[in-house]
Amino acid sequence: MRTEPDALEVNGAVVDAPVGSVACPRWQMLRNAWPSLRRLLTAGFVGLAVTLLVLQLRTLDADQLVATLSRFPTRALAAGAAFSALSYIAYCGFDLLGRRYTRHRLKTRHVLTLGFVSHAFALNLGAAGVGLRFRAYGRLGVRTGTVARLWLVCFVSNWLGFLVLAGLLLTLQLGGAPFGVDTPPALLQAIGCAFLGVALAYFALCGLSRVRSLTVFGQTLQLPSLRFALAQCALSVLQWALIAAGLFALLQQAVPFVTVLGVLLVCATALAVVDVPGGLGVTEAVFITLLGGQVAMAALVSALLVYRLVYYLAPLLLAGLAYLRLEMRPPSLAGGH
């Protein structure tokens, strides 16, 4: 029987682990093999994405694309930017839930700033953005173990809403072709039921379990209440819906909202498996492949370029400025535990 070391890695960030926690040999082997497997999957998926992009874009006329971009409606741009901003605000709500769960004492304005900075960097830089969350919270006096639990609240909240939305779309056969291409409806409904089952199991665990603590990655975690879990789900559903609303606005309502939401969730599934910073190329490949037959190619590519600007690059610039300001202030020993 062997024990875990005094620290463990969570998406590239090292966090404290209790001494003496027992490691399952098979689980340890899986953890050791996963980075190599993920790199292999990433290389294969990126190669597939590039191939799909080349095949889909070879008929695109560059002059037509430039003309479409130059005429991009100001109202659509403003709506897309507004919905993207609201989605960031919703995501920052996860950090507020994390404060309630971990009971750290940072002020609300600090929590919202750190949530925004962490989310923007994680979206664009992947695991490096997760590590930045640990550093940023640490500079304000929050201990590493507390940040690890806070990160887990954000992670679970984000994917809880995904499970509910994807489960409903698949089970009810909503979203049209993107969810049903070359796939038997019964299989899609089975996957949807499985997604909803996982979400319901989490709600049941939080609301009914007599055992109120679990050990995850060597960390002892207290189960939240059912009310807390429902708040996680509601906030996450809102966040995913706002992202889809931004894309829907940028696509100028060329396809139904539920279809855009479905493609967004397919894209999120792909990006959960592969490690591509900012989803660069993968996001475009998924949307162009699934919507290319429903939206004019120049309009679709224009919308995706503007989406990358308002959802990825502009927030990253603002987050970078906020982080530089944070780094220039002396580290705080107060405010967290």
Side-chain angles (χ1 to χ4, degrees):
M1 183 179 295
R2 61 193 295 271
T3 59
E4 285 286 311
D6 294 342
L8 60 91
E9 186 174 330
V10 178
N11 274 22
V14 178
V15 301
D16 296 335
V19 177
S21 59
V22 178
C24 173
R26 290 184 178 179
W27 172 245
Q28 188 65 39
M29 290 176 60
L30 180 61
R31 284 181 59 191
N32 293 337
W34 173 243
S36 298
L37 178 60
R38 192 174 189 187
R39 283 193 292 269
L40 182 62
L41 288 171
T42 298
F45 202 93
V46 169
L48 176 62
V50 171
T51 301
L52 290 173
L53 278 175
V54 171
L55 292 175
Q56 293 288 341
L57 295 178
R58 61 184 178 179
T59 59
L60 178 64
D61 184 89
D63 293 335
Q64 184 181 9
L65 175 60
V66 171
T68 303
L69 275 171
S70 65
R71 297 193 302 267
F72 200 88
T74 303
R75 180 177 297 181
L77 173 60
F83 281 120
S84 294
L86 290 172
S87 74
Y88 270 84
I89 293 173
Y91 192 94
C92 291
F94 297 161
D95 282 77
L96 292 176
L97 288 176
R99 181 180 65 176
R100 179 177 176 182
Y101 176 79
T102 62
R103 301 184 186 279
H104 71 72
R105 296 184 294 274
L106 290 186
K107 295 179 180 179
T108 298
R109 69 174 186 273
H110 291 148
V111 174
L112 293 176
T113 299
L114 293 179
F116 169 71
V117 170
S118 302
H119 185 42
F121 273 88
L123 278 175
N124 286 275
L125 304 178
V130 178
L132 183 139
R133 174 187 291 273
F134 281 79
R135 176 173 174 80
Y137 268 97
R139 287 187 64 83
L140 293 183
V142 182
R143 295 178 181 176
T144 302
T146 301
V147 184
R149 293 193 295 274
L150 190 151
W151 171 84
L152 190 60
V153 168
C154 295
F155 178 84
V156 171
S157 300
N158 183 62
W159 290 104
L160 183 61
F162 170 91
L163 289 173
V164 170
L165 285 173
L168 289 174
L169 290 179
L170 289 168
T171 303
L172 300 177
Q173 294 289 283
L174 302 174
F179 268 90
V181 172
D182 298 327
T183 307
L187 176 59
L188 294 176
Q189 289 180 321
I191 295 173
C193 288
F195 283 173
L196 292 175
V198 173
L200 290 174
Y202 178 70
F203 294 140
L205 191 65
C206 292
L208 302 176
S209 177
R210 294 183 178 179
V211 178
R212 304 307 300 176
S213 64
L214 298 172
T215 300
V216 181
F217 295 125
Q219 296 285 322
T220 300
L221 305 171
Q222 297 297 318
L223 277 176
S225 66
L226 176 59
R227 182 178 179 181
F228 187 93
L230 291 173
Q232 288 179 281
C233 183
L235 195 57
S236 181
V237 167
L238 175 62
Q239 182 229 180
W240 286 107
L242 287 169
I243 299 172
L247 279 162
F248 181 64
L250 294 175
L251 288 167
Q252 301 173 55
Q253 306 177 26
V255 291
F257 171 80
V258 70
T259 299
V260 176
L261 177 61
V263 179
L264 174 67
L265 298 180
V266 171
C267 184
T269 304
L271 293 176
V273 177
V274 301
D275 186 16
V276 180
L280 188 61
V282 176
T283 299
E284 289 78 6
V286 170
F287 272 87
I288 289 173
T289 300
L290 297 180
L291 294 181
Q294 303 178 54
V295 184
M297 189 59 65
L300 178 56
V301 174
S302 297
L304 291 172
L305 289 174
V306 176
Y307 169 67
R308 185 159 293 281
L309 172 65
V310 300
Y311 187 69
Y312 287 91
L313 300 181
L316 179 62
L317 176 60
L318 295 176
L321 295 174
Y323 182 69
L324 286 176
R325 182 180 180 184
L326 174 66
E327 284 289 337
M328 288 189 294
R329 61 182 294 174
S332 172
L333 297 179
H337 64 279

